[in-house]
Amino acid sequence: MTTFFKTHGTTFTVGLFMISAASGLLLFFHVGSAIFHGMHEWLSLLLLVPVGFHIWKNWLPLKMYFRRKTILLPLAICLALGVVFAAPALLGTSASGNPVIATLNGIASGTLEQIAPIYGATPTELRERLERKGFEVTSTHQSLQEIAVASGQDSGRDLIATIAFP
């Protein structure tokens, strides 16, 4: 195995880096996100294997960077860049999380009157859809969460699917 990585470690590093770079650029520009998201995550993780072998194989030359302190500035810059991007999420000053979950939570907290236009229906039509599926609806002024709680059911995906797919 060691001979394999000594022989092919650099080529695997280059190949996986090219995939990671290309998929990362496409994700950055929101091109084919559904196609490239999983590829980018998993193959970037796989990239760590040949990179780890590369570091191991070149440890003595890398130690010279530390001895000469020539690695300090690049590492400090990389660390600073990481902090710049991570700080808003860590400090809670930016929106974070899954936007789909946020959207579903927003819909679930809306009343039938508020969300009916999203589905191209009237509040009464949404009420009828829910009642056919066993939900107890007393008013179109109720939120989906209130309807779910009153019906003893989950206010998540199934409830929203009931409205979206009559």
Side-chain angles (χ1 to χ4, degrees):
M1 187 68 150
T2 309
T3 306
F4 178 80
F5 275 107
K6 283 184 178 181
T7 305
H8 301 292
T10 300
T11 53
F12 273 110
T13 302
V14 169
L16 289 168
F17 173 77
M18 289 171 54
I19 291 170
S20 182
S23 60
L25 282 170
L26 291 167
L27 287 170
F28 180 79
F29 291 108
H30 305 285
V31 176
S33 295
I35 298 167
F36 296 109
H37 188 265
M39 175 196 309
H40 182 76
E41 285 183 346
W42 284 102
L43 294 182
S44 292
L45 281 174
L46 182 61
L47 174 62
L48 296 176
V49 174
V51 166
F53 276 101
H54 178 76
I55 290 170
W56 172 67
K57 180 181 173 188
N58 295 290
W59 185 245
L60 292 176
L62 283 171
K63 282 176 38 176
M64 293 305 294
Y65 287 116
F66 286 99
R67 281 195 192 126
R68 293 185 199 146
K69 298 182 180 4
T70 55
I71 199 165
L72 297 180
L73 180 62
L75 286 181
I77 291 170
C78 290
L79 180 63
L81 288 170
V83 168
V84 165
F85 280 94
L90 292 171
L91 299 173
T93 58
S94 74
S96 63
N98 187 329
V100 174
I101 299 299
T103 302
L104 292 176
N105 289 337
I107 291 170
S109 65
T111 66
L112 293 181
E113 290 181 342
Q114 293 169 327
I115 65 168
I118 295 172
Y119 297 102
T122 66
T124 304
E125 290 171 331
L126 293 186
R127 179 182 185 159
E128 291 169 358
R129 289 180 194 177
L130 289 168
E131 288 173 339
R132 279 195 303 271
K133 297 287 184 161
F135 288 91
E136 297 176 24
V137 184
T138 57
S139 166
T140 57
H141 299 292
Q142 286 179 286
S143 71
L144 290 180
Q145 290 172 336
E146 293 169 340
I147 293 168
V149 169
S151 304
Q153 299 197 35
D154 181 35
S155 65
R157 190 173 64 186
D158 292 337
L159 175 61
I160 294 171
T162 297
I163 292 171
F165 309 109

